[in-house]
Amino acid sequence: MADNSTRKYSFSDFFSTYLSNFGKLLIPNLLFCIPLAILIAGIVLLTNLMGSVNWFLIFLIIPLMSPFFGGLFNVCRKLTADRDFRPVKDFLSGIRDNWVFFLVNSVMLYALTVGMFYMIAINREVGGGPVLIYLIIMLITSIVFLLMDFSATVMAVSVQIGFADIIKNSLMLIIKGFAGHLKVFFSLLFLSFLLYSTAFLIQTTTIVFIVLGVMTALFLPTLIVYIITYNTYQTIDKFIIAPYSAEQKRAKRLQEEQKKDELLTVEDLLPLSEGDPEEYVFLNGKTVKRKTVQKMIEVKKQGK
């Protein structure tokens, strides 16, 4: 991974990095759109055969597409962290290494989406206090999950930690990464506004679908994932990756020092052990008390 200590994340850096890699991003975007197009065609066919729109069937696109989101997030994370990526290899490795997490995550997202849709439908038909309370609880849960997911999806392709640790860290980053989450929210809101404005200006349904289809095939999936990744990776790097890397380096240094200590013989340690046990001496570049050296001699004599 590139050294990000001098990386300056900014509005101009966001666009310059994205636009300079736009050509390379076309490949993972198309790789993502191929299964998406197949699933949409299958859902349209089933809807025509059933004679009605089944929203629970339509929402199944969320878990079915989940592994491919792992590929997109891995590509966009590499672009954000290193400003370089291998379009096909990083997309496929993102799927291979993270499909379990994205599948579990998408099942939870599917359950929340279906639950929210179901509660809205009930509220329209029945209404009343209890239904409204459940709807509010579902809405708050969905917002918290969405904020967590901004960090969790990027974290899953950035560090090798367990699912429970990803959830715990994502909850923590709701507060610490709140500014980044706001950037993601308003950026996606602005993008949605642009898409809606485009559809409103065109008005002809067939042309609208063609335009949105071309935009999706060319850049929409990678742009959306890049917006999320760019604005959340900064916080993850600061609070998760950097401390973890520092701890790994410290553990490695201690391990190397321990190996050096193991190479010392009793004859090497004897001159350092003679004198006041509380007096400090230098051993392999560090300061220790003579009594520590004496204990090391005892251990070595016992053959441990």
Side-chain angles (χ1 to χ4, degrees):
M1 185 177 294
D3 182 11
N4 293 315
S5 58
T6 58
R7 178 73 181 272
K8 300 296 182 184
Y9 294 97
S10 63
F11 188 75
S12 59
D13 178 70
F14 172 87
F15 279 104
S16 63
T17 303
Y18 176 75
L19 293 175
S20 62
N21 289 275
F22 184 81
K24 289 174 66 178
L25 285 171
L26 283 173
I27 299 173
N29 196 86
L30 288 172
L31 291 174
F32 177 84
C33 287
I34 291 172
L36 179 63
I38 294 172
L39 286 174
I40 291 175
I43 289 172
V44 170
L45 178 62
L46 286 174
T47 300
N48 289 332
L49 291 175
M50 295 171 62
S52 61
V53 176
N54 188 324
W55 289 104
F56 302 109
L57 177 64
I58 292 174
F59 290 145
L60 277 175
I61 201 168
I62 297 173
L64 291 175
M65 284 299 298
S66 62
F68 304 101
F69 274 103
L72 278 191
F73 271 99
N74 192 47
V75 166
C76 292
R77 189 269 305 175
K78 296 270 286 187
L79 176 59
T80 300
D82 302 330
R83 299 186 184 179
D84 190 26
F85 64 94
R86 294 162 294 184
V88 176
K89 188 172 183 178
D90 287 333
F91 181 81
L92 296 178
S93 65
I95 295 174
R96 183 192 65 230
D97 299 337
N98 304 284
W99 70 270
V100 174
F101 169 82
F102 278 89
L103 179 61
V104 173
N105 181 72
S106 67
V107 169
M108 295 168 65
L109 182 59
Y110 174 78
L112 280 174
T113 305
V114 171
M116 177 64 74
F117 188 85
Y118 183 67
M119 291 305 301
I120 291 173
I122 292 178
N123 187 58
R124 285 180 176 176
E125 293 180 5
V126 180
V131 176
L132 184 60
I133 291 173
Y134 280 121
L135 183 60
I136 292 172
I137 292 173
M138 183 68 72
L139 178 61
I140 293 173
T141 303
S142 299
I143 291 173
V144 172
F145 182 83
L146 184 63
L147 292 174
M148 285 177 56
D149 229 27
F150 286 156
S151 298
T153 48
V154 180
M155 200 181 308
V157 298
S158 301
V159 290
Q160 294 182 348
I161 55 177
F163 193 89
D165 289 325
I166 291 177
I167 298 299
K168 179 185 68 177
N169 290 328
S170 298
L171 281 169
M172 174 193 71
L173 292 180
I174 288 179
I175 304 299
K176 293 186 175 181
F178 191 69
H181 294 336
L182 281 181
K183 290 179 184 178
V184 171
F185 176 77
F186 284 111
S187 297
L188 294 180
L189 191 65
F190 180 70
L191 181 61
S192 300
F193 170 75
L194 291 180
L195 294 175
Y196 174 79
S197 300
T198 301
F200 180 78
L201 290 173
I202 297 174
Q203 292 190 342
T204 306
T205 305
T206 304
I207 299 178
V208 167
F209 278 117
I210 291 174
V211 171
L212 291 179
V214 172
M215 293 171 70
T216 300
L218 291 178
F219 66 88
L220 271 183
T222 49
L223 178 58
I224 292 171
V225 172
Y226 179 63
I227 288 172
I228 296 171
T229 306
Y230 188 88
N231 289 290
T232 55
Y233 181 82
Q234 305 166 43
T235 307
I236 293 170
D237 185 34
K238 179 179 179 180
F239 293 104
I240 306 297
I241 298 176
Y244 177 77
S245 298
E247 180 60 28
Q248 288 289 92
K249 289 178 181 177
R250 191 181 74 86
K252 185 178 180 180
R253 186 175 66 253
L254 290 175
Q255 188 177 24
E256 290 174 351
E257 291 177 355
Q258 185 178 6
K259 287 182 178 179
K260 288 181 181 179
D261 291 344
E262 291 174 354
L263 293 175
L264 292 171
T265 63
V266 174
E267 289 74 18
D268 295 328
L269 295 172
L270 278 175
L272 297 175
S273 67
E274 298 172 353
D276 184 0
E278 297 298 323
E279 187 179 355
Y280 285 94
V281 293
F282 283 102
L283 178 66
N284 279 337
K286 58 183 181 292
T287 305
V288 297
K289 289 185 177 182
R290 290 191 189 275
K291 64 181 181 181
T292 303
V293 179
Q294 293 169 357
K295 289 179 181 178
M296 291 175 63
I297 293 174
E298 292 176 6
V299 170
K300 288 182 178 294
K301 285 182 177 180
Q302 292 172 5
K304 296 181 182 179

